[in-house]
Amino acid sequence: MKKLLIIAFLSLFLTPLARAQFGIKGGLNVAELTGRDGETASYKPFYHVGIFYQANVLGPLSIQPEVQYSLQGGNLKSAYTDYDSELHYLTVPILAKLTVGPVFVEAGPQFGVLLSANQQGNLQVGFTPDGMPAYGNESRPATSEFKRGDFSVVGGVGLKLGSSFSLGGRLVAGLNDINDAKNLSGINDPRLQNRVFQVYAALQFGGRK
């Protein structure tokens, strides 16, 4: 994972500046954690901000690496629990982008590193003297409950409004299991995956030649 992130960062600078546009972007995340048997997942609103580098490859095709701070997570509910998870990620999408007139489509992989995580709500807080799970309302750090690495696929569409401003939407679908809880009770399948719908605005600087 570290090697892939280093390659992603270096790719920001491998294409000549004369054929590229730097930019900033930000917007809404609507995210959930899917895949766990025994708990119902619900979407929660979060946000993301970042920078990107769009480099022409051939005609309407370009490559767009990005670096983002992305807050995501979601709500999980069972018969005994009801809590929100907030996961703070540094994400690096590397997207192929096809532009036809003002419309563009984009797709590619995304690599993520978990910076921190928190949970808040009705959670399992321990065990009773007779060994049964005990639950209570709590807010706590939860970084150790999740794996540090995340790998996703990204697909999206957008509209370019003028030479420097664009609007877009994406689906980010996590492929690997990010759950790393060590002490589970009452949940047979601990698998968790990120799923995020993004709506964003982007502002680009410089021009392509």
Side-chain angles (χ1 to χ4, degrees):
M1 179 62 70
K2 290 182 179 179
K3 291 181 179 179
L4 290 173
L5 288 173
I6 291 171
I7 293 171
F9 278 113
L10 290 176
S11 70
L12 293 172
F13 306 102
L14 292 181
T15 304
L17 293 177
R19 304 181 63 204
Q21 286 184 307
F22 288 95
I24 58 175
K25 65 189 298 286
L28 175 69
N29 284 350
V30 181
E32 71 168 354
L33 295 171
T34 66
R36 180 133 83 185
D37 190 26
E39 289 184 323
T40 302
S42 299
Y43 285 95
K44 297 285 292 184
F46 300 102
Y47 67 91
H48 69 280
V49 294
I51 60 174
F52 63 90
Y53 176 84
Q54 182 180 347
N56 268 0
V57 176
L58 181 65
L61 181 64
S62 59
I63 298 296
Q64 184 167 302
E66 303 179 2
V67 180
Q68 298 181 147
Y69 169 76
S70 182
L71 179 59
Q72 49 202 65
N75 175 266
L76 289 170
K77 183 185 296 186
S78 72
Y80 305 101
T81 61
D82 185 357
Y83 61 96
D84 296 333
S85 296
E86 292 187 353
L87 282 66
H88 301 253
Y89 278 98
L90 177 70
T91 63
V92 181
I94 304 175
L95 307 179
K97 187 172 184 177
L98 181 66
T99 303
V100 180
V103 178
F104 61 86
V105 294
E106 51 192 5
Q110 175 177 288
F111 309 95
V113 176
L114 181 67
L115 303 175
S116 66
N118 301 284
Q119 292 177 331
Q120 181 175 4
N122 193 45
L123 296 151
Q124 183 177 337
V125 295
F127 295 90
T128 64
D130 59 357
M132 297 298 292
Y135 302 92
N137 194 53
E138 188 172 86
S139 178
R140 67 190 185 196
T143 308
S144 63
E145 301 290 313
F146 299 93
K147 296 173 183 175
R148 289 304 182 105
D150 184 38
F151 178 71
S152 306
V153 292
V154 179
V157 297
L159 185 65
K160 194 156 188 177
L161 306 173
S163 60
S164 60
F165 185 72
S166 59
L167 298 172
R170 293 176 181 172
L171 170 62
V172 182
L175 298 181
N176 63 301
D177 178 17
I178 62 167
N179 189 64
D180 202 26
K182 302 299 189 300
N183 299 309
L184 297 174
S185 178
I187 299 173
N188 295 323
D189 183 2
R191 185 174 180 83
L192 284 175
Q193 293 174 309
N194 282 304
R195 178 167 296 175
V196 186
F197 291 95
Q198 294 184 329
V199 179
Y200 67 87
L203 184 64
Q204 293 176 277
F205 307 96
R208 295 185 231 166
K209 297 181 180 180

